[in-house]
Amino acid sequence: MKTVIKNGTIINTEGSFIGDILIEDGKIESIGINIDIDNCSVIDAKNKLVLPGGIDVHTHMDLDLGKYRAIDDFYTGTVAAAFGGTTTIVDHIAFGPEGCSLNYMIDKYYELAEGKAVIDYSFHGVFQHVNEEVLKEMEKLVEEGISSFKIYMTYDNRLNDEDILKILIKAKELGAVIAVHAENHGAIQHLREYYGSLGKSKPIYHALSRPDSTEAEAINRMIYLSEIAGCPHLYFVHVSTKKGLDEIISARRRGVKNIYCETCTQYLTLTEERYEDDVDGLKYIMAPPLRKQEDIEALWEGIKSSQVDVIATDHCPFFLEEKMDGKSDFRTAPGGAPGVEERVEIVLSEGLKRGISIRTLVDKLMTRSAQIYGLYPRKGAVQVGSDADIIIIAKKDKIITIENRHSSADYTPYEGFKVDYVVEKVIQRGKVLVDNNKFIANKGDGMFLKRSNLCDL
């Protein structure tokens, strides 16, 4: 049966208007005013906002860290995403065994997601080492629709500058996107060991051991490596600091091309003061850490000016009991926190309060990530021919609390946070997933998305 969404305020990055949307066979068939509703199922969206489905391009579902494993798998994590208005994720996958192929963990993640995800999904590949065989695999994966890859400048599988440069040169050839976790590993390791040697093991030292300059230096170094490689598509995940953003802005001003900046909900709302509680602060152990209010303000200004391209989550939840393993030493707590459900409602509420246009917020929450990661115009827009991934938002108050969350996590970093915009209905490819807090999707409804590369962007 065809479906018509009637009388809603339809919002795209180009503008907004009150009208109707006709959905047929999972696609948006037409958009207009007073569309004929004969033989159609009707959804009344009067006085509601009608937006593209949310796209979160930074999640860690079922992430295996060895001692710890993220407690949301591709079912519970995507259920939480759906309740929060997100209809597509692109997941950052775990590392595999030492020396494994680039395909190895991609194949594992197909198994982890298939039959479980309730929303649509894709994966970023991840580099652990570099050789000619791995670079050839990169070509094959791009052909198969995995068109982005992550590198780490810290942690055990970090890459050195020489290997990073090899990847960037190959990415330029293929039109692939390289997502990078940019932190200066050596400086962080020294500071962690230094504070540990002094017995300074409380959560606040997590922030102090990863100061803003460790992010800014790594971003700066990556940008110059990118220039050497001819400016492939370079995407900085979870930018958390004014200094880091300033490096990106400076590079763009001097003419560096194809740099993209992502931040996350937590870096727009929470400060390092959370770490001052010696126990509760462990909830917020994540990398990079929470920052200062001046960083929050700079990131919001970057959103307003479109220097920040994307708002994601870095969703990676663990049980409180596991986080409390860091009571005697913050370094032993698993890093990560939930957030996939909260993103759309918090960002809309906080952004509109700050005078940022809703079109700009839609761009950061939905459209720009679809463009960068090869999903647009199928995803990320309410326009004819796009998938009918649509969320309907009501302007009303709600208090976020663990009691109204849907992740497997037993806490939310946003406990007590008041939002002014609430996701009421979530539609994916024409099918209603969530209706007024009632979940009516089926396990496995989500489908894998083959993504294009960015040679022609």
Side-chain angles (χ1 to χ4, degrees):
M1 182 178 288
K2 298 179 182 180
T3 299
V4 174
I5 300 173
K6 293 285 292 181
N7 304 316
T9 302
I10 302 166
I11 298 169
N12 271 320
T13 54
E14 298 85 3
S16 63
F17 69 99
I18 296 174
D20 305 339
I21 301 169
L22 175 63
I23 299 169
E24 185 174 6
D25 296 328
K27 299 284 187 180
I28 297 175
E29 182 69 21
S30 64
I31 301 173
I33 299 172
N34 296 323
I35 290 177
D36 184 7
I37 61 173
D38 288 345
N39 300 314
C40 291
S41 171
V42 178
I43 296 172
D44 184 11
K46 186 176 182 180
N47 299 322
K48 308 286 175 66
L49 303 178
V50 179
L51 278 58
I55 300 175
D56 189 347
V57 292
H58 192 160
T59 60
H60 293 283
M61 303 302 179
D62 218 349
L63 184 77
D64 188 354
L65 297 178
K67 183 179 178 181
Y68 302 99
R69 189 166 190 147
I71 57 173
D72 272 331
D73 63 13
F74 276 88
Y75 176 66
T76 62
T78 57
V79 167
F83 272 99
T86 290
T87 55
T88 299
I89 60 169
V90 186
D91 199 73
H92 284 286
I93 67 177
F95 294 124
E98 184 177 353
C100 71
S101 68
L102 200 57
N103 278 298
Y104 181 89
M105 288 306 288
I106 292 288
D107 292 341
K108 290 288 185 184
Y109 268 70
Y110 281 126
E111 295 174 8
L112 291 174
E114 188 174 4
K116 289 185 179 179
V118 302
I119 63 174
D120 291 349
Y121 61 92
S122 185
F123 314 120
H124 306 282
V126 64
F127 282 98
Q128 298 176 224
H129 60 96
V130 180
N131 56 32
E132 285 304 314
E133 183 179 342
V134 166
L135 294 176
K136 287 179 182 177
E137 283 185 280
M138 189 178 173
E139 291 183 34
K140 185 173 181 292
L141 284 169
V142 169
E143 291 173 359
E144 294 174 358
I146 304 288
S147 56
S148 56
F149 304 86
K150 190 173 189 179
I151 60 176
Y152 289 81
M153 301 176 77
T154 188
Y155 303 133
D156 290 343
N157 287 286
R158 65 192 178 278
L159 301 181
N160 61 38
D161 289 355
E162 180 181 354
D163 285 343
I164 289 171
L165 185 58
K166 290 176 183 177
I167 292 169
L168 292 173
I169 291 169
K170 191 67 175 180
K172 174 68 174 178
E173 173 191 329
L174 298 175
V177 179
I178 300 301
V180 58
H181 179 135
E183 289 185 289
N184 183 301
H185 179 79
I188 290 168
Q189 285 303 106
H190 171 74
L191 290 171
R192 283 164 67 89
E193 291 170 8
Y194 171 72
Y195 286 125
S197 71
L198 298 177
K200 295 182 175 181
S201 58
K202 295 178 180 179
I204 189 60
Y205 292 101
H206 173 65
L208 295 176
S209 65
R210 302 179 103 97
D212 56 1
S213 293
T214 61
E215 178 178 88
E217 185 281 331
I219 288 174
N220 176 278
R221 180 155 39 104
M222 277 300 308
I223 289 170
Y224 279 108
L225 289 171
S226 177
E227 285 190 84
I228 294 168
C231 295
H233 297 285
L234 180 63
Y235 181 101
F236 289 103
V237 301
H238 53 45
V239 173
S240 64
T241 63
K242 180 181 186 300
K243 279 186 180 179
L245 179 58
D246 284 347
E247 292 290 346
I248 293 168
I249 293 171
S250 176
R252 286 169 169 165
R253 285 175 178 167
R254 71 169 187 268
V256 182
K257 304 296 185 185
N258 301 326
I259 302 175
Y260 311 107
C261 174
E262 167 198 289
T263 194
C264 300
T265 318
Q266 59 269 33
Y267 304 120
L268 296 170
T269 54
L270 307 174
T271 71
E272 66 180 27
E273 292 177 0
R274 302 274 175 157
Y275 297 123
E276 293 175 1
D277 186 305
D278 294 348
V279 176
D280 199 60
L282 293 167
K283 294 178 181 178
Y284 307 96
I285 298 291
M286 60 186 74
L290 301 178
R291 303 297 188 176
K292 301 181 186 300
Q293 188 64 38
E294 65 190 65
D295 297 299
I296 289 177
E297 298 305 323
L299 291 169
W300 278 113
E301 185 58 36
I303 290 166
K304 184 180 291 187
S305 63
S306 285
Q307 296 292 351
V308 172
D309 298 287
V310 172
I311 304 170
T313 64
D314 199 4
H315 177 84
C316 189
F318 301 93
F319 286 126
L320 269 175
E321 182 180 6
E322 296 173 318
K323 301 291 278 188
M324 293 304 122
D325 284 354
K327 276 184 181 180
S328 60
D329 188 341
F330 74 88
R331 294 175 295 180
T332 63
V340 73
E341 184 170 357
E342 292 87 349
R343 180 184 66 124
V344 170
E345 293 178 344
I346 287 179
V347 171
L348 287 177
S349 299
E350 291 300 296
L352 291 170
K353 284 178 189 174
R354 289 170 172 269
I356 300 173
S357 76
I358 193 164
R359 295 190 303 277
T360 296
L361 297 173
V362 166
D363 185 56
K364 308 311 172 192
L365 291 166
M366 295 96 173
T367 307
R368 190 67 176 133
S369 55
Q371 293 170 335
I372 294 168
Y373 282 116
L375 291 166
Y376 187 86
R378 180 178 179 183
K379 305 290 188 181
V382 179
Q383 62 185 39
V384 174
S386 296
D387 281 0
D389 293 1
I390 294 168
I391 59 176
I392 298 175
I393 306 280
K395 190 177 189 313
K396 60 183 180 182
D397 295 345
K398 181 174 76 175
I399 304 296
I400 291 174
T401 179
I402 188 59
E403 282 74 26
N404 58 30
R405 300 298 87 192
H406 299 87
S407 162
S408 293
D410 53 0
Y411 78 98
T412 169
Y414 308 100
E415 185 73 34
F417 205 100
K418 177 177 171 292
V419 294
D420 306 316
Y421 290 85
V422 176
V423 175
E424 284 199 342
K425 197 179 296 285
V426 180
I427 301 165
Q428 179 172 253
R429 288 180 276 109
K431 180 177 180 180
V432 177
L433 303 183
V434 177
D435 188 0
N436 286 299
N437 211 38
K438 182 180 179 182
F439 185 67
I440 51 180
N442 297 311
K443 193 174 186 178
D445 276 351
M447 63 184 295
F448 174 76
L449 301 169
K450 291 185 176 181
R451 296 180 287 119
S452 63
N453 61 21
L454 296 188
C455 289
D456 299 322
L457 185 64

